[in-house]
C-alpha cells in the first residue's frame, strides 16, 4: 500500500506549522546546520533505524555497520539519515525483552511515519529487535530492507568450542549437578562470548535473521556472515545501495510478503530446527500483513519438512559453520521442492530467480544436509492442543527427549517464574523424574512472556543424572534451549486458561505424535475450581498496564490488539 503522503525526499512527512512552504523552508534551514545543501536534499532519503546501544553487546560493531550502510546509500545517489530506536538486549533487559517487542515495533513504526524518508534500512540483531522492526515496516509499509548484526564467532574453553547460549545452559546444568567447579564455571563465563554479535547457535536471533532473508526482506546471503567479518560490512554497503533502488522502484513490504513467503519462512524454521520464539513472531508479522497463518500451517509443514541444518541446539554446529557452508541461499536451494519459488524479494527478483546459480550443499561440509540425508526426518517444531491448552501450545520436538514425547505424570505447580526460582530445588516437594513441572502466570498478560519455560531440573535430580523432564507453561523459552518443554499454552493462566486450574498431583498427559496436551481432571471438578479462581491484578500504570490490557495471546502473535 503506497503511503498517503505523495511528497518525496525531504518534503515527506512535514512538521505541521499551518504553512507547508514555511515547513519546507524551516526544514532546509535546520538541515543546513548539519552541512546539507540543496544538492544533498534533492536525493532520495534513506532512513537507517539504528539499534546501537552500550547495553546491547550483540550490536557492538553496529556503528561501523551503519557507516558502511551510509556509504552504500551515498554510492547509489541517496542521502542516508540514521536515527536511534529502542535497543533490546536479551540479557540486560528486565523482566524480559518480549514485554518491549511491541513497544519497539510501535516506536520504530511511528518514527518511520513521522520523519522524512523514502526507504528505511532496519538494523537489528538481538532477538526481539528484528521482529519488532519487521512488524514496524509491515505496518508503515514503506520500502524497507533488513540488515542484521550477524552472529558472534564461537568461543573456546580448554579445547571445547563454546556457543552462547546452548553451551551456557549445558555447562550451567553441569555446574548445578556438581560436575563443574566454581573455578571452572568462572573460566567458562569468560570464554562463552568471544566477540560482538548475536548468539552463535540457531537461537532466536539467528533463526529470525534466516527467516527475514527467506521472507525476501533482506539481501540474499545476509543472515549468516558473522558480526566480525568483512562480509558483514559488505552486506551493509550492498543493502544501502539496495535501499535506494527500493525507494526508486516503490517496492513495499506489501509487494513482497505473501502467504507463500510466510509458508516458506515456516518451512525454513523447521529445516533449521529453529527457535520456537519465531512462531510467535511470524504469527505477529503475518497478522500485521493481513495474511492468514495458523498452527495448522505449522503442523501441515512440520509433517513433511526435514531438519537440514546441523547447528546447536538441535545439532552440533555453530553459525560460522552455517555461514561457511553457504548460509540461507544454499539451504533454500536444497529446500526448493518445499518452497513457493514465485515469492518476491527486495531485489525485485523472485525467490526462484534468486536461487538460479546457487550451488547445492557440497559434500565437503556437513552443516547443511541434503533432503536425502537429513538430521531429522520431520517434525522439528509441533503445535499441540488439548484440555490444558485449548488454543494451542508449541514444543520443539527436535530438541526434546524421545522417551518423554509420550508421557503422563503428576503436576508440580509453580505460580510464577519467581516462585519457580524460590522453590524448584526444595527437596520437600518430592519431585521425581516422572513429575510434570508446570509454570503458570508467565504468559503475555501474566509476565510479558519471559523465557522461563525451560525450568531447571531440580538440583537433587540433576545430581542423580536426570537431564530432562516434561515441563509445561504459558511462557516462552530461549531459542538456544532444549528439552521436553511445552510452551506458549493458550489461553494463558492470567487470562483464566486451564493452566490456572491445575493443582499439585493432577495428572497431565503429553502425546506429541497425537498433537495433544491434556489435563486429566473431570470437567465437573474444573468448573468448581474455575468458580473459585481469582486472577492476579494487572499493573497499574505505564507501558506494563497498556501492554497487559491489550496484548493478544501467543497463538495470535502476542501483538497489541490495536496494532
Ligand atoms: Fe543477543 Fe542472544 S543475547 S542474540
Amino acid at each position: 500500500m503506497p503511503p498517503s503522503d505523495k511528497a518525496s525526499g525531504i518534503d515527506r512527512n512535514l512538521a505541521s506549522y499551518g504553512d507547508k512552504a514555511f515547513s519546507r523552508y524551516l526544514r532546509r534551514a535546520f538541515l543546513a546546520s548539519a552541512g546539507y545543501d540543496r544538492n544533498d536534499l534533492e536525493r532520495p532519503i534513506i532512513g537507517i533505524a539504528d539499534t546501537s546501544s552500550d547495553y546491547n553487546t550483540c550490536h557492538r560493531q553496529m556503528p561501523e555497520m551503519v557507516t558502511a550502510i551510509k556509504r552504500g546509500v551515498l554510492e547509489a545517489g541517496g542521502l542516508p539519515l540514521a536515527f536511534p530506536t529502542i535497543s533490546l538486549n536479551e540479557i540486560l533487559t528486565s523482566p524480559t525483552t518480549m514485554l518491549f517487542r511491541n513497544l519497539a515495533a510501535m516506536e520504530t513504526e511511528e518514527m518511520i511515519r513521522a520523519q522524512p524518508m523514502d526507504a528505511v534500512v532496519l538494523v537489528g540483531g538481538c532477538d526481539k529487535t528484528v521482529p519488532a522492526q519487521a512488524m514496524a515496516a509491515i505496518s508503515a509499509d514503506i520500502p524497507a530492507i533488513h540488515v542484521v548484526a550477524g552472529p558472534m564467532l564461537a568461543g573456546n574453553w580448554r579445547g571445547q568450542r563454546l556457543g552462547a547460549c546452548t553451551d551456557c545452559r549445558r555447562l550451567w546444568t553441569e555446574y548445578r549437578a556438581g560436575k563443574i567447579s566454581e573455578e571452572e564455571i568462572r573460566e567458562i563465563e569468560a570464554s562463552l562470548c568471544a566477540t560482538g554479535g548475536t548468539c552463535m547457535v540457531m537461537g532466536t536471533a539467528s533463526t529470525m535473521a534466516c527467516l527475514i532473508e527467506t521472507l525476501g526482506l533482506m539481501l540474499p546471503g545476509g543472515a549468516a556472515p558473522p558480526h566480525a567479518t568483512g562480509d558483514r560490512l559488505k552486506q551493509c554497503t550492498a543493502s544501502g545501495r539496495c535501499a535506494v533502488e527500493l525507494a526508486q522502484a516503490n517496492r513495499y513490504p506489501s509487494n513482497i510478503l505473501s502467504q507463500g513467503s510466510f509458508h516458506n519462512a515456516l518451512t525454513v524454521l523447521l529445516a533449521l530446527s529453529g527457535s520456537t520464539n519465531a512462531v510467535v513472531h511470524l504469527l505477529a508479522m503475518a497478522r500485521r500483513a493481513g495474511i492468514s497463518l495458523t498452527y495448522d500451517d505449522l503442523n501441515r509443514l512440520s509433517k513433511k519438512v526435514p531438519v537440514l541444518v546441523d547447528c546447536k541446539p538441535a545439532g552440533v554446529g555453530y553459525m560460522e559453520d552455517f555461514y561457511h557452508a553457504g548460509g540461507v541461499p544454499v539451504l533454500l536451494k536444497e529446500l526448493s521442492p518445499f518452497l513457493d519459488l514465485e515469492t518476491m524479494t527486495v531485489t525485485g527478483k523472485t525467490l526462484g530467480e534468486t536461487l538460479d546459480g546457487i550451488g547445492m550443499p557440497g559434500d565437503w561440509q556437513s552443516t547443511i544436509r541434503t533432503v536425502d540425508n537429513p538430521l531429522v526426518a520431520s517434525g522439528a517444531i509441533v503445535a499441540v492442543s488439548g484440555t490444558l491448552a485449548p488454543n494451542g501450545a508449541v514444543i520443539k520436538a527436535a530438541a526434546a527427549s524421545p522417551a518423554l514425547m509420550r508421557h503422563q505424570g503428576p503436576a508440580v505447580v509453580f505460580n510464577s517464574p519467581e516462585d519457580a526460582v524460590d522453590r524448584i530445588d526444595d527437596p520437600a516437594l518430592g519431585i521425581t523424574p516422572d513429575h510434570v513441572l508446570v509454570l503458570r502466570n508467565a504468559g503475555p498478560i501474566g509476565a510479558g512472556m519471559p523465557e522461563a519455560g525451560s525450568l531447571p531440573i531440580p538440583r537433587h535430580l540433576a545430581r542423580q543424572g536426570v537431564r530432562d523432564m516434561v515441563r509445561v507453561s504459558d511462557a516462552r523459552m530461549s531459542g538456544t534451549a532444549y528439552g521436553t518443554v511445552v510452551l506458549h499454552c493458550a489461553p494463558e493462566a492470567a487470562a483464566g486458561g486451564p493452566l490456572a486450574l491445575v493443582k499439585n498431583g493432577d495428572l497431565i498427559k503429553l502425546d506429541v505424535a497425537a498433537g495433544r496436551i491434556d489435563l486429566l481432571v473431570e470437567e465437573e471438578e474444573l468448573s468448581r475450581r474455575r468458580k473459585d479462581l481469582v486472577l492476579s491484578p494487572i499493573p497499574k500504570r505505564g507501558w506494563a498496564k497498556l501492554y497487559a490490557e491489550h496484548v493478544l495471546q501467543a497463538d495470535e502473535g502476542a501483538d497489541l490488539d490495536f496494532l
Side-chain angles (χ1 to χ4, degrees):
M1 185 181 69
S4 51
D5 186 348
K6 297 277 188 244
S8 62
I10 203 66
D11 292 336
R12 281 174 71 113
N13 303 329
L14 287 173
S16 179
Y17 291 110
D19 176 345
K20 286 194 171 182
F22 177 73
S23 297
R24 284 194 283 270
Y25 148 78
L26 212 53
R27 186 166 272 188
R28 284 172 169 73
F30 274 74
L31 283 164
S33 75
Y36 298 115
D37 61 17
R38 288 259 167 177
N39 182 30
D40 291 315
L41 300 181
E42 278 163 13
R43 295 168 174 231
I45 300 209
I46 309 302
I48 303 171
D50 179 359
T51 49
S52 303
S53 164
D54 285 349
Y55 285 94
N56 200 337
T57 56
C58 304
H59 297 185
R60 199 185 82 193
Q61 287 167 243
M62 198 168 277
E64 192 182 5
M65 292 172 58
V66 169
T67 300
I69 294 166
K70 286 182 171 176
R71 177 155 54 84
V73 171
L74 288 167
E75 285 171 2
L79 177 66
L81 293 177
F83 60 101
T85 63
I86 293 174
S87 188
L88 299 173
N89 179 270
E90 289 302 301
I91 314 300
L92 278 83
T93 307
S94 174
T96 167
T97 52
M98 188 61 181
L99 179 62
F100 305 108
R101 182 201 64 179
N102 300 339
L103 181 63
M106 268 176 83
E107 186 221 25
T108 307
E109 176 189 343
E110 296 305 333
M111 287 301 97
I112 290 172
R113 286 186 194 283
Q115 300 174 126
M117 63 189 81
D118 299 296
V120 64
V121 184
L122 304 157
V123 197
C126 196
D127 295 13
K128 306 305 177 300
T129 57
V130 173
Q133 291 180 325
M135 290 158 72
I138 290 167
S139 292
D141 205 24
I142 75 163
I145 182 168
H146 277 264
V147 174
V148 290
M152 292 183 243
L153 295 171
N156 190 296
W157 176 67
R158 298 189 183 182
Q160 276 188 55
R161 284 173 94 197
L162 291 187
C165 245
T166 303
D167 296 316
C168 316
R169 292 170 199 285
R170 177 177 61 81
L171 294 166
W172 186 253
T173 302
E174 296 302 312
Y175 169 65
R176 276 176 56 83
K179 307 272 189 232
I180 280 179
S181 70
E182 190 68 38
E183 186 194 339
E184 287 172 325
I185 199 75
R186 284 191 187 193
E187 280 180 28
I188 290 163
E189 179 185 293
S191 310
L192 277 164
C193 302
T195 66
T198 50
C199 291
M200 62 289 231
V201 298
M202 197 53 78
T204 305
S206 299
T207 301
M208 287 310 301
C210 294
L211 301 192
I212 292 288
E213 184 176 333
T214 303
L215 284 165
L217 297 173
M218 180 190 287
L219 285 180
H227 194 56
T229 59
D231 272 0
R232 172 54 52 206
L233 294 175
K234 286 180 198 164
Q235 280 290 333
C236 295
T237 311
S239 300
R241 292 187 204 115
C242 183
V244 179
E245 286 170 30
L246 275 175
Q248 288 163 341
N250 284 325
R251 195 173 300 124
Y252 302 95
S254 56
N255 304 134
I256 293 171
L257 297 173
S258 63
Q259 192 152 53
S261 58
F262 276 99
H263 288 175
N264 287 349
L266 281 178
T267 301
V268 168
L269 170 63
L270 294 161
L272 296 171
S273 187
S275 167
T276 46
N277 290 324
V279 177
V280 186
H281 300 322
L282 285 175
L283 290 170
M285 290 163 58
R287 178 180 166 274
R288 287 199 178 211
I291 291 168
S292 165
L293 195 71
T294 66
Y295 285 156
D296 288 344
D297 296 313
L298 173 67
N299 280 349
R300 180 175 51 76
L301 292 166
S302 185
K303 284 195 178 82
K304 61 181 182 183
V305 176
V307 178
L308 298 187
V309 175
D310 190 0
C311 279
K312 293 191 173 195
V316 298
Y318 295 89
M319 281 302 287
E320 63 199 61
D321 303 320
F322 181 60
Y323 159 62
H324 289 304
V328 173
V330 168
L331 174 65
L332 291 173
K333 184 76 175 186
E334 183 61 22
L335 277 175
S336 293
F338 299 93
L339 298 173
D340 178 347
L341 298 176
E342 295 305 312
T343 55
M344 185 45 62
T345 72
V346 281
T347 63
K349 290 183 181 172
T350 64
L351 181 61
E353 289 165 345
T354 305
L355 296 181
D356 284 346
I358 300 287
M360 302 296 266
D363 58 11
W364 50 268
Q365 57 83 40
S366 57
T367 305
I368 303 177
R369 303 283 194 95
T370 59
V371 169
D372 296 338
N373 179 32
L375 192 67
V376 180
S378 62
I381 299 175
V382 177
V384 294
S385 63
T387 53
L388 193 53
N391 294 347
V394 167
I395 179 169
K396 187 171 188 173
S401 301
L404 293 173
M405 300 282 270
R406 192 165 192 275
H407 178 84
Q408 181 173 313
V412 179
V413 181
F414 299 96
N415 277 316
S416 66
E418 297 74 27
D419 183 33
V421 168
D422 290 345
R423 295 195 298 126
I424 194 131
D425 291 330
D426 183 353
L429 294 178
I431 302 176
T432 70
D434 282 340
H435 274 93
V436 174
L437 304 178
V438 173
L439 170 65
R440 64 185 172 207
N441 296 314
I445 299 171
M449 214 180 176
E451 292 185 340
S454 57
L455 291 167
I457 302 300
R459 195 184 293 271
H460 72 281
L461 294 180
R463 289 200 165 135
Q464 291 165 24
V466 177
R467 292 292 180 268
D468 195 11
M469 292 174 66
V470 174
R471 289 156 272 181
V472 181
S473 73
D474 43 17
R476 298 175 301 118
M477 77 172 182
S478 165
T480 62
Y482 48 87
T484 311
V485 187
V486 179
L487 303 151
H488 311 181
C489 284
E492 64 174 297
L499 213 54
L501 308 177
V502 184
K503 289 191 170 175
N504 287 331
D506 286 351
L507 286 178
I508 290 175
K509 183 176 178 187
L510 171 67
D511 188 340
V512 177
R516 301 288 304 182
I517 178 81
D518 289 296
L519 175 60
L520 304 181
V521 176
E522 295 296 328
E523 180 49 41
E524 219 171 285
E525 168 62 16
L526 291 178
S527 296
R528 266 197 295 278
R529 294 184 192 177
R530 209 170 280 120
K531 278 191 198 120
D532 296 337
L533 184 63
V534 180
L535 298 179
S536 308
I538 62 168
K540 288 199 167 44
R541 66 176 299 279
W543 172 251
K545 174 178 160 63
L546 185 69
Y547 184 89
E549 285 175 347
H550 292 282
V551 70
L552 298 166
Q553 291 294 285
D555 59 306
E556 297 178 285
D559 201 354
L560 301 184
D561 57 10
F562 56 84
L563 292 174

